[in-house]
Amino acid sequence: MFIILLLLGSIILLYLFGRKSHEYWAKRNVQTGKITPIFGDNIHLILGRESPSEMVQRIYNKVPDVRYIGVYQFLTPALFLRSPDIIKEVCVKDFDHFLNHKGFVADGVEELWSKNLFALKGQSWKNMRSVLSPSFTTFQKKSENIIEVEFKDAFTRYTNDVIASTAFGIQVDSLEDRNNEFYLMGREASDFSTFRRKCVFFAYQLIPTITKFFRVPLFGEKLRSFFINLVKETIKIREEQNIKRPDMLGLLIEARKGKHNVQTTDEVKDASFAAVEEHLAMDEAAQNLTDMDIASQVFVFFLGGFETVSTAMCFMAYELAVNPDIQKKLIEEIDQNKPQKGPLSYETLNNMNYLDMVVSESLRKWPINIATDRLVTKSYTIEPKLPGEKPVQLEKDIMIIIPSFAIHRDPQYYEDPEKFNPQRFSPENRKKIDPYTYIPFGVGPRNCIGSRFALLEMKAVFFSLLSSFEIVPVEKTMIPLKTSRTSLTLTSKNGFTMGLKKRN
């Protein structure tokens, strides 16, 4: 009986504490809509009733005609932005008040994660950004006319091999050697659908002090040791034998020696609409990079390329399969740009206008990063602009959420947003798009450093693929596509199975 009373009392106290915590935005005259005690806005995600993208869309739509909404990640308040003008203020104009991301892993708990560019804060982030900024045929053997392919598996293996080469300087062929250790470790690192990984992720949000005290790791020891030892051993061999390679690992090794050349974005001629630019003109900082610093940067570069770019390719392949008229037009442009001899040049690929339009539209409809965040680093006031608004004081450490998925599907910015329409990004239509309503790679100085790399990778894959094949729906293709409610990232509920039809 005592245990039952104790449990009941604990639940009541937690409920009352939760209600008090959820009064934060009401006291500041910020609308929130309906909030679930203790769970805040996360209850449907926790129960598997909605996917992360559906949660973002629901929050975005629950209080219309406002510039921002107060939300709660369990008991933690955050401000959800809905208006491009306020996104510009937070991410660019007043960036010095919002320098950092909110790290979901406590400092010192998971070094492989907490030392990477995304998680670093303040001057440490600026220094590392300045170091990293410059860096950036198997199916033909089959005889069938239409080859059924699980595109997520195929694209993940391709991106695995690209990152293995460009980040680590390692050559692997994951389409042929399907169980190579590098691929298996990458698949384990990027899998956030397991029960344990989900529990750890939500524990970081709900009880951060406890997870930090007990040093609850995000990754297993085998995975952590594999990447750390791989980097340390490679560095040792390269330094002992004076080996220099133009990959990310080589760049960081040279930076540690003080031989780092900063390249400005003006030197990169890039016609891609989705590419982001560097906003900070930073001086070279004296770097004291440890092997762990280097391992963390290379690991997160690998993780981003392994999972997010391959998923972006899958969504684009799906849209081409279900929109054959668009695919036909893209194939015509590819055929017109095939080199007569020699390899495809960077300039040719980068100047293919319709290919860029298709990629840009795919990233609008399916932005892999469905939302990004900023952390208030020094107090800030949002001044009123609309009728009924009052000044909102944002205290230090309050999180700001920028819902790119929902903004990209807002009909006031994109007519008929559910339709896949590359014409939105034609040269004559691009100038009509508010840049703060198109943010597949984030916005402002803390945008995605790998946008050009990702765009080049996507364009090269589809140029090669569509040179020989058409992508077609098969019996297993889910039409219309539904997003997964079991994954913490944006992906399809039933995978991406489609067919490759050989072209004449």
Side-chain angles (χ1 to χ4, degrees):
M1 178 63 72
F2 173 76
I3 294 176
I4 295 175
L5 290 174
L6 182 63
L7 182 60
L8 184 60
S10 299
I11 293 173
I12 292 172
L13 286 174
L14 184 59
Y15 174 79
L16 294 174
F17 178 71
R19 285 195 60 181
K20 185 174 179 60
S21 298
H22 289 168
E23 294 173 357
Y24 184 89
W25 291 121
K27 293 178 178 178
R28 289 160 177 77
N29 298 300
V30 176
Q31 296 188 58
T32 63
K34 185 179 179 180
I35 299 294
T36 304
I38 301 174
F39 293 97
D41 288 285
N42 300 80
I43 184 64
H44 299 298
L45 183 66
I46 295 293
L47 296 178
R49 294 175 181 170
E50 63 185 5
S51 66
S53 60
E54 289 171 331
M55 182 181 76
V56 167
Q57 191 78 60
R58 173 179 56 79
I59 295 172
Y60 186 85
N61 291 332
K62 71 177 181 175
V63 185
D65 302 321
V66 296
R67 295 193 302 152
Y68 44 79
I69 304 169
V71 300
Y72 293 93
Q73 293 195 321
F74 297 101
L75 303 179
T76 304
L79 195 67
F80 195 92
L81 306 187
R82 296 184 78 257
S83 173
D85 68 314
I86 199 168
I87 291 173
K88 180 179 181 180
E89 289 178 12
V90 165
C91 295
V92 179
K93 182 181 175 183
D94 297 318
F95 172 69
D96 60 319
H97 289 263
F98 306 90
L99 282 170
N100 302 326
H101 287 300
K102 178 178 172 58
F104 65 87
V105 180
D107 292 343
V109 173
E110 185 65 83
E111 281 192 302
L112 196 58
W113 176 265
S114 60
K115 287 180 174 289
N116 73 65
L117 183 67
F118 181 87
L120 287 174
K121 295 178 171 60
Q123 191 61 43
S124 297
W125 165 75
K126 289 183 178 181
N127 293 345
M128 188 62 72
R129 180 87 184 207
S130 69
V131 172
L132 293 177
S133 289
S135 51
F136 275 35
T137 63
T138 298
F139 295 120
Q140 291 280 15
K141 300 175 184 178
K142 298 185 180 288
S143 59
E144 299 97 320
N145 185 45
I146 295 181
I147 309 158
E148 188 173 281
V149 177
E150 210 305 302
F151 272 68
K152 187 65 170 74
D153 177 74
F155 283 153
T156 300
R157 292 177 183 279
Y158 167 79
T159 55
N160 172 78
D161 296 356
V162 170
I163 296 296
S165 175
T166 56
F168 293 87
I170 296 172
Q171 299 300 317
V172 292
D173 186 350
S174 299
L175 284 168
E176 292 287 349
D177 182 9
R178 301 186 68 80
N179 291 314
N180 69 81
E181 188 175 21
F182 201 90
Y183 172 76
L184 294 178
M185 288 293 102
R187 190 172 64 180
E188 180 180 339
S190 62
D191 186 4
F192 281 80
S193 64
T194 64
F195 179 75
R196 180 198 172 277
R197 193 72 64 85
K198 282 183 178 179
C199 288
V200 172
F201 180 83
F202 286 122
Y204 285 152
Q205 310 302 313
L206 188 58
I207 47 174
T209 303
I210 295 176
T211 55
K212 182 176 183 179
F213 178 80
F214 287 103
R215 299 180 66 84
V216 179
L218 182 64
F219 304 113
E221 181 58 35
K222 181 181 178 181
L223 175 69
R224 190 183 304 108
S225 297
F226 173 80
F227 281 102
I228 293 173
N229 292 336
L230 175 64
V231 169
K232 287 184 175 181
E233 290 171 9
T234 304
I235 290 173
K236 182 180 178 182
I237 291 172
R238 291 192 187 186
E239 290 184 335
E240 288 178 349
Q241 301 181 18
N242 196 29
I243 298 172
K244 296 182 180 180
R245 278 184 56 93
D247 51 33
M248 187 177 181
L249 191 56
L251 180 88
L252 291 167
I253 293 171
E254 292 301 296
R256 185 159 67 176
K257 295 176 182 177
K259 300 177 181 179
H260 176 61
N261 295 318
V262 176
Q263 180 184 26
T264 67
T265 54
D266 291 338
E267 296 171 303
V268 181
K269 303 300 182 184
D270 199 325
S272 296
F273 182 82
V276 295
E277 60 179 313
E278 291 291 342
H279 287 252
L280 299 182
M282 290 177 286
D283 297 328
E284 280 192 89
Q287 296 297 317
N288 295 307
L289 295 175
T290 65
D291 285 355
M292 179 56 75
D293 291 327
I294 294 176
S296 187
Q297 307 318 310
V298 178
F299 173 73
V300 79
F301 183 68
F302 167 77
L303 193 61
F306 184 95
E307 179 62 26
T308 58
V309 178
S310 63
T311 304
M313 292 177 183
C314 289
F315 281 115
M316 181 166 160
Y318 167 80
E319 292 293 350
L320 291 173
V322 298
N323 293 281
D325 53 331
I326 293 173
Q327 182 175 186
K328 181 181 178 181
K329 188 173 179 179
L330 179 56
I331 287 175
E332 290 173 355
E333 184 186 55
I334 288 172
D335 289 347
Q336 292 169 6
N337 284 275
K338 283 182 182 178
Q340 295 298 315
K341 59 180 180 178
L344 174 70
S345 70
Y346 171 82
E347 289 74 20
T348 297
L349 187 65
N350 202 44
N351 289 324
M352 289 177 60
N353 186 51
Y354 195 68
L355 175 58
D356 189 66
M357 289 163 58
V358 174
V359 171
S360 299
E361 172 65 353
S362 184
L363 291 172
R364 178 204 65 83
K365 189 175 179 182
W366 304 105
I368 304 307
N369 295 315
I370 59 174
T372 187
D373 67 69
R374 296 293 186 273
L375 204 63
V376 178
T377 50
K378 53 184 176 180
S379 59
Y380 184 81
T381 302
I382 298 178
E383 299 295 344
K385 287 188 178 180
L386 299 181
E389 283 188 352
K390 295 182 179 180
V392 178
Q393 286 278 359
L394 298 179
E395 301 168 328
K396 186 176 181 294
D397 292 334
I398 286 293
M399 185 168 67
I400 305 295
I401 299 174
I402 302 159
S404 49
F405 184 91
I407 290 171
H408 287 188
R409 294 187 178 223
D410 189 330
Q412 71 173 309
Y413 306 129
Y414 297 98
E415 183 180 355
D416 194 5
E418 299 296 324
K419 182 180 179 180
F420 187 77
N421 179 16
Q423 204 60 35
R424 303 179 202 273
F425 297 93
S426 65
E428 59 272 18
N429 287 334
R430 289 181 176 188
K431 57 189 176 184
K432 303 174 186 177
I433 298 174
D434 186 324
Y436 299 98
T437 64
Y438 184 73
I439 44 180
F441 293 106
V443 61
R446 287 208 76 143
N447 56 34
C448 175
I449 196 172
S451 68
R452 284 179 174 80
F453 184 91
L455 290 165
L456 182 63
E457 196 174 0
M458 289 180 68
K459 291 178 179 181
V461 163
F462 282 96
F463 186 98
S464 176
L465 199 61
L466 297 179
S467 292
S468 302
F469 299 95
E470 294 176 44
I471 305 172
V472 296
V474 294
E475 186 177 348
K476 293 182 182 178
T477 306
M478 178 190 289
I479 304 174
L481 185 148
K482 295 181 180 179
T483 55
S484 170
R485 293 180 175 179
T486 61
S487 174
L488 293 177
T489 57
L490 181 65
T491 190
S492 169
K493 178 182 178 180
N494 290 340
F496 294 91
T497 302
M498 287 163 281
L500 289 177
K501 182 180 179 181
K502 287 189 176 181
R503 295 179 55 201
N504 295 325

